[in-house]
């Protein structure tokens, strides 16, 4: 996922939770879990749009999401650690507000400690 589309760990975990639960309930937006995750971060039902906006691009930081058993994930982590940078070091809130056309009025109407995150999660959750 292009790192610009992930606000923080709360946002990341909630979207992944939605996709994993959708897989468990056999209600994915597409045939593959990874495509469902892309679509939910992009908040679109169009696979091509999700890939265009959220898919990785040359010379742009991205976040690798790996799902599997602990042993395999530990091995992967050891291999990629030399190539990693600090996650969530950049505040993407302005980019996300602009991309999704989120206004201050919309954010002010949400009673939450994390209004932007919750709005982005809702956008990803309501896709059917």
């Amino acid at each position: 996922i292009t790192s610009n589309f992930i606000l923080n760990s709360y946002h990341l975990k909630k979207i992944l939770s939605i996709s994993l639960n959708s897989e468990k309930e056999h209600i994915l937006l597409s045939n593959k879990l990874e495509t469902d995750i892309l679509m939910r971060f992009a908040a679109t039902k169009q696979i091509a749009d999700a890939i265009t906006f959220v898919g990785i691009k040359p010379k742009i930081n991205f976040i690798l999401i790996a799902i599997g058993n602990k042993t395999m994930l530990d091995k992967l982590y050891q291999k990629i650690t030399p190539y990693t940078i600090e996650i969530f070091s950049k505040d993407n809130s302005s980019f996300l507000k602009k991309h999704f056309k989120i206004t201050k009025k919309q954010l002010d109407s949400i009673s939450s400690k994390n209004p932007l995150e919750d709005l982005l999660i809702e956008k990803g959750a309501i896709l059917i």
Side-chain angles (χ1 to χ4, degrees):
I1 307 287
T2 298
S3 61
N4 292 345
F5 278 86
I6 302 177
L7 190 58
N8 53 34
S9 62
Y10 175 77
H11 179 219
L12 174 65
K13 289 174 186 176
K14 289 292 187 174
I15 293 290
L16 291 177
S17 172
I18 293 166
S19 288
L20 289 169
N21 285 330
S22 294
E23 180 183 44
K24 184 175 150 186
E25 299 295 325
H26 306 289
I27 55 171
L28 288 171
L29 297 172
S30 70
N31 293 332
K32 295 182 178 181
L33 175 62
E34 55 270 29
T35 308
D36 184 272
I37 293 168
L38 272 176
M39 293 167 73
R40 292 187 190 279
F41 277 110
T44 182
K45 294 189 288 182
Q46 299 298 316
I47 295 171
D49 289 345
I51 292 169
T52 299
F53 294 120
V54 180
I56 62 173
K57 296 165 186 65
K59 300 181 182 179
I60 304 267
N61 290 339
F62 63 92
I63 294 177
L64 176 66
I65 299 169
I67 300 170
N69 67 50
K70 183 167 176 23
T71 304
M72 295 304 291
L73 292 174
D74 287 342
K75 286 180 184 177
L76 174 63
Y77 180 76
Q78 289 173 351
K79 293 276 187 193
I80 66 170
T81 297
Y83 308 105
T84 62
I85 60 169
E86 182 63 33
I87 192 168
F88 308 124
S89 59
K90 182 181 169 195
D91 180 10
N92 297 322
S93 57
S94 294
F95 169 80
L96 290 166
K97 286 182 215 174
K98 183 177 177 182
H99 179 81
F100 290 111
K101 297 176 177 68
I102 297 171
T103 65
K104 183 177 180 340
K105 187 174 183 177
Q106 287 174 309
L107 291 174
D108 289 345
S109 70
I110 299 171
S111 177
S112 165
K113 292 180 183 176
N114 310 302
L116 180 56
E117 292 92 326
D118 289 335
L119 185 58
L120 293 170
I121 292 162
E122 183 178 345
K123 284 179 174 291
I126 61 172
L127 300 171
I128 297 175

